[in-house]
């Protein structure tokens, strides 16, 4: 009864009701999360962070921070509080926000051309339904390449990255040659800054294709899953030693096109989880200066072999932490070696800049940063979208290359997806302290949870990013002297 009466009598209270504030300031938007029993992390809209004693966020909100508290200048200079309702340096804050979101300035920059589904490997985690080497009917047509290129040049982006994928794209080398030559020719008028990448299993190199890749400054990205037993188990090739072939390919390509033009990516399968140290050491032994500890995407054809490919996300987190610790020790011994995902996050946490990594953006990288022209002329919102399509799920199909640019990029599907691609407005993310470092991934959540928005408490995407970001803050606080020089070196190069 008392409660009901209180509710009926609820009215705005006077300023005096709340007592005198210890400090006279106004709150700016920020979020917070516990770091340990004694500390918490505050993060504002532009990704500025402060590690403070537990309870500080509450004290700030209740205006209980004393005027002479040494934290006050930090809170003001880093835009957590302001002396005036609108901070005097609001323009600086606006510039910082624009800088953090500047990956949006130029719209789609990464254009993936899937040249063929043909492949000479049969990896059990392969995301697409590859076909045998002789099935040329699964190659992209010259006409569809032309149409894709025409769309690409309509992008307002000054920088264009063209990535060739498969299957094994070098099996359709004539198409790759044709596309690169046409793009280079047309670019004499468009004058864009071009980067070419070919994603290859490195087992079909020859003098002709490598000479061409060198002449056109094409970066080579290959797959190396770690030591021989692991790589061969993950990436089998009928009757042949896949590990030896890829190493021969890497060394051959390095000799022909230059050491730094060749990079490698690993995929973490269930088998990989027990070998983070061995995988990292293998990359070191093979002359790489970096590794991307990359979980498997739990959809597409990876689902065909759940025992080998699908695992608990917590296990991946343990794998990552163990691996990162090993990498820190390697750097402490004087060998520069970077974990790429960590470096991406550190750039977001420690600098005012954004990154071009499309899987960790808000608004999401799909369409805004990346689009896929598939071998059959269909256009998808991302690489993962076409993986779903290979399982007959066309949810992220944007159209066909023969459709107009407007209908593909600004059509009904794009508009529908745009409702779910900003973590600022997703339940769970909207009040998450790590929002400005993380991203939104409607494709992942649709594939793993059945809807574009997703459910954060059981989302593998959230578990991974929340776990990794928190771990990085722990390292930067509890092992500051040890890790900070290493982390700074990773983002300064
Ligand atoms: S996915 Fe998780 S970690 Fe990322 S912003 Fe959303 S709630 Fe935070």
């Amino acid at each position: 009864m008392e409660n009901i009466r209180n509710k009926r009598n609820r009215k705005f209270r006077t300023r005096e009701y709340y007592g005198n504030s210890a400090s006279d300031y106004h709150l700016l938007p920020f979020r917070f999360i516990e770091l340990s029993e004694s500390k918490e992390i505050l993060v504002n809209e532009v990704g500025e962070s402060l590690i403070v004693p537990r309870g500080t966020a509450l004290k700030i909100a209740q205006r209980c921070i004393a005027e002479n508290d040494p934290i006050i200048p930090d809170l003001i200079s880093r835009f957590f509080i302001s002396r005036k309702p609108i901070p005097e340096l609001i323009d600086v804050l606006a510039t910082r926000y624009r800088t953090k979101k500047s990956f949006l300035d130029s719209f789609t920059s990464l254009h993936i051309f899937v040249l063929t589904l043909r492949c000479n490997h049969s990896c059990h985690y392969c995301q697409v339904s590859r076909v045998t080497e002789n099935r040329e009917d699964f190659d992209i047509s010259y006409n569809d390449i032309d149409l894709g290129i025409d769309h690409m040049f309509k992008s307002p982006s000054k920088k264009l990255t063209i990535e060739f994928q498969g299957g094994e794209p070098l099996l359709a080398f004539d198409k790759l040659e044709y596309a690169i030559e046409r793009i280079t020719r047309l670019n004499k008028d468009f004058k864009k800054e071009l980067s070419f990448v070919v994603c290859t299993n490195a087992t079909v190199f020859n003098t002709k294709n490598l000479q061409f890749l060198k002449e056109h400054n094409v970066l080579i990205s290959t797959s190396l899953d770690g030591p021989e037993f692991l790589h061969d188990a993950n990436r089998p090739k009928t009757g042949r030693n896949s590990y030896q072939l890829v190493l021969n390919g890497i060394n051959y390509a390095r000799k022909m096109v230059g050491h730094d033009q060749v990079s490698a990516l690993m995929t973490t399968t269930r088998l990989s989880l027990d070998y983070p140290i061995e995988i990292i050491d293998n990359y070191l032994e093979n002359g790489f200066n970096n590794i991307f500890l990359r979980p498997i995407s739990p959809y597409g054809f990876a689902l065909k072999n759940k025992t080998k490919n699908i695992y608990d996300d917590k296990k991946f987190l343990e794998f990552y932490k163990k691996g990162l610790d090993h990498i820190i020790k390697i750097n402490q011994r004087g060998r520069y070696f970077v974990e790429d995902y960590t470096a991406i996050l550190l750039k977001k946490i420690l600098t005012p800049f954004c990154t071009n990594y499309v899987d960790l953006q808000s608004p999401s990288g799909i369409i805004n940063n990346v689009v896929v022209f598939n071998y059959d002329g269909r256009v998808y919102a991302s690489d993962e979208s076409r993986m779903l399509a290979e399982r007959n799920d066309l949810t992220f199909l944007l159209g066909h290359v023969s459709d107009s640019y407007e209908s593909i990029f600004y059509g009904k599907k794009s508009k529908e997806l745009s409702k779910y691609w900003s973590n600022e407005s997703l339940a769970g993310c909207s009040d998450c302290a790590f929002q400005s470092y993380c991203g939104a991934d409607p494709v992942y959540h649709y594939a793993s949870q059945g809807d574009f928005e997703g459910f954060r408490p059981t989302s593998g995407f959230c578990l991974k990013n929340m776990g990794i970001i928190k771990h990085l803050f722990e390292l930067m606080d509890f092992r500051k002297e040890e890790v900070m020089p290493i982390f700074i070196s990773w983002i300064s190069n």
Side-chain angles (χ1 to χ4, degrees):
M1 207 43 209
E2 184 58 29
N3 273 346
I4 294 169
R5 204 169 19 247
N6 277 346
K7 264 188 194 158
R8 281 205 191 113
N9 293 337
R10 262 182 73 188
K11 13 177 175 156
F12 286 110
R13 310 286 189 187
T14 62
R15 195 182 173 113
E16 287 68 36
Y17 173 85
Y18 294 99
N20 289 325
S21 303
S23 288
D24 188 15
Y25 57 76
H26 301 266
L27 299 184
L28 295 174
F30 72 88
R31 289 168 283 270
F32 57 97
I33 189 170
E34 167 198 319
L35 177 65
S36 65
E37 274 185 13
S38 60
K39 293 182 180 177
E40 63 195 17
I41 312 164
L42 314 180
V43 187
N44 69 7
E45 289 289 298
V46 292
E48 275 281 4
S49 63
L50 275 175
I51 296 176
V52 292
R54 278 285 285 274
T56 304
L58 184 64
K59 281 194 199 159
I60 295 172
Q62 291 181 328
R63 312 286 198 290
C64 293
I65 307 271
E67 206 39 69
N68 57 358
D69 192 309
I71 200 178
I72 289 273
D74 265 346
L75 291 174
I76 292 177
S77 66
R78 296 191 185 205
F79 296 105
F80 286 90
I81 60 171
S82 162
R83 287 290 180 209
K84 296 187 172 173
I86 295 182
E88 279 178 358
L89 296 179
I90 185 77
D91 288 343
V92 175
L93 187 59
T95 304
R96 304 260 321 254
Y97 193 77
R98 274 199 301 274
T99 307
K100 277 285 176 196
K101 298 287 183 189
S102 59
F103 61 91
L104 289 172
D105 287 354
S106 47
F107 201 45
T108 326
S109 52
L110 173 59
H111 294 76
I112 297 174
F113 286 79
V114 180
L115 297 183
T116 180
L117 275 195
R118 288 188 285 147
C119 191
N120 56 347
H121 276 59
S122 44
C123 308
H124 59 73
Y125 56 62
C126 182
Q127 303 286 351
V128 294
S129 58
R130 64 113 203 174
V131 297
T132 49
E133 289 175 61
N134 53 349
R135 298 289 306 276
E136 288 187 25
D137 46 327
F138 284 87
D139 288 2
I140 194 168
S141 72
Y142 288 106
N143 188 46
D144 286 350
I145 293 177
D146 286 352
L147 293 170
I149 292 172
D150 293 347
H151 283 309
M152 180 181 78
F153 276 117
K154 285 186 189 140
S155 166
S157 179
K158 289 195 183 87
K159 294 182 184 178
L160 297 175
T161 299
I162 304 100
E163 187 171 297
F164 298 103
Q165 289 199 16
E168 169 48 55
L170 290 180
L171 291 178
F173 181 63
D174 52 337
K175 301 285 167 59
L176 180 132
E177 234 177 350
Y178 174 82
I180 291 182
E181 281 171 354
R182 181 162 192 264
I183 291 167
T184 310
R185 207 167 45 248
L186 292 176
N187 199 45
K188 288 193 177 127
D189 290 333
F190 288 105
K191 296 189 175 29
K192 307 262 187 186
E193 205 179 302
L194 302 179
S195 312
F196 293 110
V197 183
V198 62
C199 300
T200 167
N201 60 33
T203 62
V204 287
F205 288 142
N206 55 42
T207 318
K208 187 185 168 201
N209 60 30
L210 282 176
Q211 194 59 44
F212 180 84
L213 298 180
K214 184 183 169 146
E215 269 164 31
H216 292 85
N217 205 20
V218 182
L219 291 166
I220 295 171
S221 172
T222 191
S223 301
L224 177 64
D225 276 4
E228 187 160 5
F229 75 92
L230 187 53
H231 185 91
D232 285 349
N234 283 352
R235 305 182 57 80
K237 190 176 184 308
T238 326
R240 308 283 289 277
N241 182 343
S242 160
Y243 177 77
Q244 277 313 327
L245 285 174
V246 75
L247 279 195
N248 294 346
I250 288 171
N251 292 328
Y252 183 26
R254 279 172 171 168
K255 223 187 278 172
M256 290 281 291
V257 303
H259 194 282
D260 294 340
Q261 289 288 99
V262 185
S263 66
L265 267 180
M266 57 81 62
T267 301
T268 310
T269 59
R270 188 179 282 212
L271 179 62
S272 319
L273 289 173
D274 292 330
Y275 302 101
I277 312 290
E278 291 79 358
I279 295 169
I280 291 159
D281 288 348
N282 181 270
Y283 267 65
L284 268 178
E285 283 157 21
N286 286 309
F288 290 101
N289 293 327
N290 61 315
I291 192 168
F292 194 138
L293 297 175
R294 205 170 60 125
I296 206 160
S297 300
Y299 41 87
F301 271 73
L303 289 176
K304 263 175 80 181
N305 203 330
K306 286 190 184 172
T307 352
K308 287 182 176 169
N309 298 329
I310 306 302
Y311 45 79
D312 185 349
D313 296 300
K314 288 189 192 126
K315 289 254 185 309
F316 175 78
L317 215 47
E318 282 166 28
F319 167 86
Y320 166 84
K321 288 181 185 174
K322 210 167 161 191
L324 182 61
D325 203 49
H326 186 58
I327 291 172
I328 290 170
K329 284 187 193 131
I330 291 167
N331 281 269
Q332 284 171 330
R333 291 200 296 268
R335 170 76 156 85
Y336 178 78
F337 190 83
V338 181
E339 200 292 304
D340 289 337
Y341 199 66
T342 308
I344 290 164
L345 284 166
L346 288 174
K347 192 169 176 198
K348 286 173 167 245
I349 296 169
L350 298 174
T351 80
F353 306 111
C354 66
T355 72
N356 291 326
Y357 181 63
V358 297
D359 292 350
L360 214 51
Q361 310 278 39
S362 176
S364 163
I366 56 169
I367 308 168
N368 294 306
N369 295 127
V370 60
V371 73
V372 177
F373 302 116
N374 207 16
Y375 72 97
D376 55 3
R378 286 171 164 169
V379 185
Y380 292 104
S382 67
D383 202 20
E384 292 74 17
S385 308
R386 71 135 174 157
M387 294 167 188
L388 284 172
E390 293 300 334
R391 298 268 281 179
N392 301 319
D393 186 337
L394 301 180
T395 305
F396 296 93
L397 173 68
L398 302 176
H400 190 270
V401 271
S402 54
D403 296 336
S404 72
Y405 182 86
E406 287 68 26
S407 74
I408 293 172
F409 289 84
Y410 308 130
K412 213 170 145 199
K413 187 60 71 70
S414 306
K415 284 181 188 152
E416 174 65 11
L417 290 174
S418 70
K419 292 182 205 156
Y420 308 94
W421 70 25
S422 296
N423 65 6
E424 285 86 346
S425 61
L426 292 178
C429 298
S430 61
D431 54 4
C432 172
F434 299 146
Q435 186 199 92
S436 49
Y437 311 135
C438 196
D441 196 335
V443 182
Y444 180 99
H445 286 108
Y446 169 81
S448 61
Q449 298 190 312
D451 71 85
F452 298 147
E453 176 145 354
F455 181 57
R456 253 27 79 194
T458 52
S459 153
F461 175 88
C462 181
L463 187 129
K464 180 188 87 168
N465 288 313
M466 176 83 76
I468 292 179
I469 298 169
K470 200 164 176 195
H471 184 62
L472 295 181
F473 272 102
E474 283 163 0
L475 289 175
M476 289 190 283
D477 189 44
F478 307 140
R479 293 171 58 188
K480 187 174 177 179
E481 308 300 322
E482 255 183 280
V483 303
M484 281 314 279
I486 296 167
F487 284 178
I488 298 287
S489 76
W490 290 0
I491 55 175
S492 316
N493 285 317

